[in-house]
Amino acid sequence: MVRIRWAGRAVAAVAAAGLLGGAVVGCGAGGDPKGAAAGDATAVVRISPIADQLAKLPARVDGAKVVVGRVDAPHTAQVLVDPRCGACGKFEEAGGEVLLRLAGEGRVKVEYLLASFLDQGGASGSVKAVNALRASVDAGKFAEYNAAVFASQPRGRFTDEYLLRIADEVPGLRGEAFDKAVREQTHKGWVAEAEKGFEATGAQGTPMVLMGGEPVGAKDGSMFDPGAFAATLKGVGVGAAA
């Protein structure tokens, strides 16, 4: 098993325009820029540099969403991502980490709308990945596993075995219930509900962050740079992470 912590911050060039408020997004209905039909047995599993902090974050399912952070947090951020979107992986390492640090400080709660629109006939494994992410909520390991899944995007599709390989690097996640949920896609019905929740926002692509229903950090690309995104959030009333 190859296991690394990601280093550095990648600032992504925005690639496609969505229709929600003219927001700029990375992966649209036309396909995933990283997508491929074949699996990738050599993919490297990566974990978050703040995995220890993420392990302490509470997460719960609320309808079609997974909500991370304190119930009484004064601000709510909706995060729209697809596990096979390459730009989403870059966002999670940058702006996504900023949001989770803020969630750990009790300043914001993060509502994940996990899309799977890039999964055409199972070609990308997005459905499998979202199913596994849903299962990680039951195990109390969502924030940590979510970060690892996006950091470990394979060149090809997500497979059951690869999702379990990633789970090996999240202490306490692997077990009979989680493994069964992954292999049997126990939460496939919820995955479809989550996709409908994503579509209901009117977004045409991912990644996207909504505060009060309005996209933030997309037009200027700040969501792909930690410092810039922290400043963007501060501009809409959310204190910067320490």
Side-chain angles (χ1 to χ4, degrees):
M1 172 70 68
V2 181
R3 178 179 186 265
I4 63 175
R5 290 179 182 267
W6 66 63
R9 307 290 190 192
V11 179
V14 291
L19 298 182
L20 181 59
V24 177
V25 293
C27 299
D32 178 3
K34 291 178 57 181
D40 185 1
T42 64
V44 177
V45 173
R46 307 168 76 210
I47 62 170
S48 169
I50 62 167
D52 293 345
Q53 297 176 45
L54 300 184
K56 301 174 184 178
L57 282 173
R60 62 194 182 281
V61 174
D62 181 4
K65 301 171 292 189
V66 175
V67 185
V68 176
R70 289 168 41 178
V71 177
D72 60 351
H75 301 282
T76 300
Q78 284 195 323
V79 171
L80 285 56
V81 285
D82 185 305
R84 279 300 295 123
C85 170
C88 293
K90 293 180 176 64
F91 160 73
E92 288 291 340
E93 292 184 20
E97 184 178 301
V98 172
L99 283 172
L100 290 174
R101 285 180 183 274
L102 288 168
E105 296 171 2
R107 299 171 187 258
V108 66
K109 60 178 177 287
V110 185
E111 296 181 346
Y112 284 89
L113 282 169
L114 299 170
S116 51
F117 66 90
L118 291 175
D119 200 348
Q120 300 176 359
S124 76
S126 285
V127 168
K128 287 179 177 289
V130 175
N131 172 78
L133 287 166
R134 170 61 183 83
S136 73
V137 180
D138 294 337
K141 300 292 181 177
F142 174 80
E144 194 177 355
Y145 186 57
N146 180 69
V149 166
F150 278 94
S152 305
Q153 290 174 328
R155 293 181 182 178
R157 66 181 181 271
F158 277 108
T159 63
D160 294 344
E161 290 309 312
Y162 186 52
L163 289 163
L164 292 173
R165 277 181 57 200
I166 298 172
D168 282 335
E169 302 306 319
V170 179
L173 179 53
R174 289 293 301 270
E176 183 178 352
F178 177 79
D179 289 10
K180 179 179 180 181
V182 171
R183 292 195 170 103
E184 297 183 7
Q185 293 192 56
T186 303
H187 300 294
K188 195 170 184 177
W190 184 88
V191 175
E193 183 182 351
E195 171 62 20
K196 290 179 180 177
F198 162 75
E199 294 171 1
T201 67
Q204 300 297 303
T206 54
M208 187 174 293
V209 178
L210 304 176
M211 300 287 296
E214 296 296 324
V216 295
K219 284 185 177 180
D220 60 4
S222 64
M223 66 196 306
F224 298 107
D225 178 86
F229 193 57
T232 294
L233 292 174
K234 190 172 183 179
V236 295
V238 183

